[in-house]
Amino acid sequence: MSHRFRGPRGRLVEALQEKGIRDLAVLRAFDLTPRHLFVPPAIEHRAYEDSALPIGNGQTISQPSTHARYLELLHLSGSERVLEVGTGSGYQTALLSHLAGQVFSMERVGALLVRAREALRASGARNVSLLSGDGTLGWREYAPYDAILVTASSPTVPTPLMEQLADGGRLLIPLGERDEQTLALIVRCGTEFERTDIAPARFVPLVGTHGWPKK
Ligand code: SAM
């Protein structure tokens, strides 16, 4: 574990508690994950602010409190197989690696995936597999997944992701327009999919075969 920024990391965990995050496993994951490895070196000093930050290629690393709320909603116990669509910086992938058994993460922007792979290696994450490609198609080889977390917004739930969700599995995805969405939780029960709307959300578009077309 990295000892750099130990103090700011502890203060971020306190800030998350003050914002209502109660799940101890989620708080521990934030305590163990060196966010400064996942942001560009020029803004390393801002890594432990509770804010979204630019990571290059027009993409952002989300606000830690947003990550924390989403991770709480997945109800992970430590043994699950999880698919993340939209690796971005790899920070949330690293958080997931402390909360699940195996993490599979897909990213369409190759340059981001290269940086995420390096940061994940430096952070010591072991149970993570990365794939470059269109995450709206899912990663069939390792399906079914107990949880699927989509970190970009889509007009509808990509059918391959519903097919690759295990029975009883939970899928989180921001659904709606390109600039404004609702975070939806989809729970699979056999051939039925139950949707619960959680909160308003604002994410970058999920660009791909079952998402938005490239502009
Ligand atoms: N959670 C990430 C982090 O901690 O840095 C931030 C993810 S960012 C909000 C959303 C990511 O989804 C972007 O990196 C974007 O390139 C990626 N993305 C968009 N469409 C995608 C697709 N079809 N497949 C895979 N990744 C996609």
Side-chain angles (χ1 to χ4, degrees):
M1 200 217 311
S2 172
H3 291 285
R4 283 189 73 215
F5 295 100
R6 192 76 202 81
R9 191 151 66 244
R11 286 193 286 283
L12 172 62
V13 172
E14 284 165 18
L16 294 176
Q17 283 176 301
E18 280 161 23
K19 289 185 178 177
I21 303 304
R22 296 279 169 269
D23 186 321
L24 292 180
V26 170
L27 292 167
R28 179 175 170 274
F30 278 88
D31 199 32
L32 291 173
T33 307
R35 192 172 189 246
H36 61 276
L37 296 179
F38 296 88
V39 301
I43 53 169
E44 199 187 54
H45 60 285
R46 297 189 55 199
Y48 295 95
E49 292 174 8
D50 186 22
S51 50
L53 295 169
I55 54 171
N57 298 80
Q59 303 299 332
T60 51
I61 178 172
S62 307
Q63 196 177 354
S65 50
T66 303
H67 282 315
R69 291 202 181 92
Y70 287 16
L71 292 169
E72 278 196 329
L73 287 164
L74 291 180
H75 294 176
L76 297 171
S77 66
S79 60
E80 295 84 354
R81 185 191 294 252
V82 178
L83 175 67
E84 178 188 48
V85 175
T87 316
S89 67
Y91 177 60
Q92 182 165 253
T93 323
L95 293 168
L96 281 167
S97 76
H98 293 294
L99 294 164
Q102 265 191 299
V103 184
F104 299 86
S105 185
M106 298 182 68
E107 172 57 56
R108 64 179 284 275
V109 179
L112 287 179
L113 200 68
V114 169
R115 290 199 289 273
R117 194 183 295 283
E118 177 54 29
L120 282 160
R121 192 201 55 74
S123 77
R126 294 269 175 271
N127 50 345
V128 168
S129 304
L130 302 176
L131 182 66
S132 174
D134 177 6
T136 70
L137 301 171
W139 193 342
R140 216 166 273 284
E141 195 180 347
Y142 298 104
Y145 301 98
D146 304 301
I148 300 179
L149 183 49
V150 184
T151 71
S153 66
S154 181
T156 54
V157 186
T159 312
L161 298 185
M162 290 168 69
E163 290 167 354
Q164 293 174 33
L165 188 63
D167 196 9
R170 298 163 82 80
L171 188 164
L172 267 179
I173 182 168
L175 292 174
E177 303 305 317
R178 266 187 183 260
D179 52 354
E180 213 170 310
Q181 310 97 32
T182 301
L183 176 69
L185 172 66
I186 316 283
V187 180
R188 180 170 193 167
C189 187
T191 55
E192 305 288 309
F193 293 85
E194 194 175 297
R195 171 176 168 172
T196 308
D197 288 348
I198 305 291
R202 192 166 285 197
F203 274 78
V204 296
L206 182 72
V207 178
T209 311
H210 298 272
W212 292 104
K214 197 174 173 194
K215 261 191 176 170

